[in-house]
Amino acid sequence: MIETVIRKRIEILVDSALVRRVTDAIDKAGITGWSVLPVTSGSGRDGRWREERVMGTDKSLVLTISSIEKAEALVEVLAPMLNSHGLLLTMWDVEVIRGERF
Amino acid sequence: MDASLFAPFASPVILFFLLGLLASALRSDLAIPEAMAKGMSLYLMAAIGLKGGVAVAKSGVNAEVAAALLAGLALSFAIPVLAYAVLRSFGRLDQVNAGAVAAHYGSVSVVTFVTANEILGAGGLVVAGFMVAVLAVMETPAILSGLMLARRGHGGDGHSRGELLREVFLNASVVLLLGSFAIGLIAGPKGFAEVQPLFDSGFKGVLCLFLLDMGLIAARRLIDARALNLRLVVLAIAFPLFNGTLGVLVGHAVGLDVATAAALGVLCASASYIAVPAAMRLALPQADPGIYLTMSLSITFPFNILVGISLFAALSRLLAG
């Protein structure tokens, strides 16, 4: 039986223009890996939006997995931006193998 | 009535734009892939920069070029200040949104300029090549003016200052326009001949497809608009009329020819929807794109393409007697 451990999976929906700021925060929190995924469209409190790369209104999803301590450190750093820059941050527990990598 | 005012409506460039508007209004599933749209915008900027550089290599730099550059620079700083005052009073926008919208109206739309070049050229008015440099110069001062107005009395976000300056001065459209302008200037007509099949022969076709996409997006944004009200719609038409007239008058005052003064009018009348929104997402994330992008892209841009360009050409002809 392969052994698994519990880690935090964090998803951050962010304007593509701000992705670098989020990945910088992830690096500063000591988390070693992240992935950026394009998002094509959505709807929220301010109405619908779609990927419009010419206008720079496209959004991306930043994914990362970390220990709970590092996840908390990341949330601390990003908290001021959640309102000011309209970030959507969610996290939940996931089981991973090779837990020492996260 | 002057028949030349209606001539653009027979141009494929304008007809493709109208097709996009119509298709979106009728909820067609017609769409241009995003990567292709982005690629076309880069192609158009590179092509217009190259052609402008080659034209200046042929004509040389003189007092007229310096006067046009200074006029463009001054107008790009000043227009947001005027627009901001009207947006706060008549438009009833808050400080942040008024600053963001003002920045869009002080900056310029490359595609409006490119379309104006095609329409004016078809009417026998050839715009001076150095206007590409004026276009590039007018991209950024308005962003600074708009941000200063939006942040008056509220210090900025320290973390973003370096990023913002990089975005303002090194944003993709400024780098590509000025870079390809410099390449055209260095390469000259002989060097340009080698790449002419790509950057000249295909230019109008790509412009048609890009305007089809802009028509689709402009109508779609208007249909989805929630934050727009009648006052803002009125301003999105009044701004290009006032700013364009101002640009034509200044163009004639500094001694530009009929076509080039009309082009300066078009630049002043146009509102950015490529460079400025990206800067606003970084610097003024609280500003509502549903206001600034809908005004600039869904109202002002179609107005300029369908009416403004011909109007400023007619005004420029009138002033020249």
Side-chain angles (χ1 to χ4, degrees):
Chain A
M1 183 87 181
I2 296 173
E3 196 179 328
T4 62
V5 291
I6 302 294
R7 292 287 181 261
K8 287 286 182 193
R9 178 185 164 112
I10 306 162
E11 276 188 10
I12 304 152
L13 181 69
V14 57
D15 288 341
S16 294
L18 296 165
V19 163
R20 190 148 75 175
R21 207 179 289 185
V22 171
T23 54
D24 282 351
I26 293 173
D27 292 340
K28 272 187 196 152
I31 301 170
T32 49
W34 42 262
S35 305
V36 179
L37 281 69
V39 185
T40 54
S41 66
S43 180
R45 209 173 42 179
D46 298 325
R48 290 182 185 184
W49 53 266
R50 304 167 197 252
E51 183 190 27
E52 287 168 350
R53 289 191 208 169
V54 174
M55 270 65 77
T57 60
D58 47 325
K59 291 182 191 281
S60 297
L61 201 58
V62 183
L63 293 183
T64 187
I65 297 174
S66 76
S67 65
I68 186 160
E69 295 78 20
K70 288 176 181 174
E72 281 171 357
L74 175 63
V75 172
E76 269 313 295
V77 175
L78 291 180
M81 287 173 68
L82 295 181
N83 273 334
S84 67
H85 292 71
L87 268 59
L88 180 66
L89 186 151
T90 53
M91 64 175 163
W92 63 94
D93 290 341
V94 289
E95 286 185 54
V96 300
I97 54 173
R98 302 180 301 170
E100 73 282 358
R101 293 192 171 213
F102 301 97
Chain B
M1 180 158 286
D2 188 353
S4 66
L5 287 177
F6 298 100
F9 288 93
S11 156
V13 173
I14 301 298
L15 290 171
F16 268 101
F17 181 67
L18 288 172
L19 175 64
L21 287 176
L22 187 69
S24 215
L26 296 174
R27 310 259 180 184
S28 161
D29 61 356
L30 175 61
I32 304 281
E34 281 303 317
M36 187 179 165
K38 183 75 181 173
M40 287 194 295
S41 75
L42 296 177
Y43 168 85
L44 291 172
M45 283 188 262
I48 194 76
L50 265 177
K51 288 184 192 179
V54 171
V56 173
K58 273 188 208 166
S59 69
V61 178
N62 52 34
E64 189 189 14
V65 178
L69 284 169
L70 279 175
L73 197 65
L75 285 164
S76 183
F77 269 118
I79 286 172
V81 179
L82 299 171
Y84 178 83
V86 180
L87 286 160
R88 291 283 280 155
S89 53
F90 180 79
R92 295 178 185 169
L93 285 183
D94 59 45
Q95 187 176 342
V96 167
N97 278 304
V101 175
H104 284 72
Y105 280 88
S107 188
V108 292
S109 155
V110 177
V111 182
T112 309
F113 176 77
V114 170
T115 311
N117 264 358
E118 294 301 320
I119 292 175
L120 295 174
L125 294 176
V126 180
V127 177
F130 62 75
M131 286 305 284
V132 176
V134 177
L135 162 82
V137 157
M138 289 180 78
E139 283 254 30
T140 49
I143 302 177
L144 299 175
S145 286
L147 287 179
M148 279 191 283
L149 292 164
R151 287 175 167 179
R152 245 180 348 163
H154 301 277
D157 171 3
H159 180 82
S160 67
R161 195 158 294 153
E163 243 178 313
L164 172 68
L165 288 175
R166 189 174 51 80
E167 179 63 36
V168 168
F169 291 106
L170 293 177
N171 77 67
S173 49
V174 171
V175 170
L176 189 54
L177 271 172
L178 284 179
S180 49
F181 183 85
I183 291 168
L185 196 61
I186 296 164
K190 202 176 165 190
F192 181 66
E194 295 169 18
V195 291
Q196 191 162 5
L198 176 65
F199 288 107
D200 203 19
S201 307
F203 186 77
K204 273 192 190 175
V206 173
L207 182 59
C208 286
L209 287 177
F210 190 74
L211 279 172
L212 171 69
D213 190 40
M214 290 299 101
L216 288 166
I217 295 175
R220 190 170 67 208
R221 279 199 159 269
L222 202 56
I223 290 165
D224 291 343
R226 283 187 185 181
L228 222 55
N229 57 42
L230 186 62
R231 285 172 180 268
L232 296 178
V233 172
V234 168
L235 288 181
I237 293 171
F239 281 150
L241 281 173
F242 178 81
N243 297 342
T245 304
L246 181 66
V248 176
L249 290 172
V250 170
H252 277 274
V254 299
L256 300 182
D257 61 56
V258 175
T260 311
L264 184 62
V266 170
L267 284 177
C268 292
S270 70
S272 170
Y273 56 82
I274 297 180
V276 182
M280 291 302 123
R281 295 310 288 155
L282 283 173
L284 285 181
Q286 312 91 321
D288 185 354
I291 297 175
Y292 59 69
L293 260 177
T294 310
M295 285 179 75
S296 66
L297 179 61
S298 298
I299 302 173
T300 301
F301 178 66
F303 175 80
N304 280 328
I305 296 291
L306 301 176
V307 181
I309 294 170
S310 303
L311 212 56
F312 302 127
L315 177 64
S316 190
R317 278 197 174 107
L318 193 73
L319 287 172

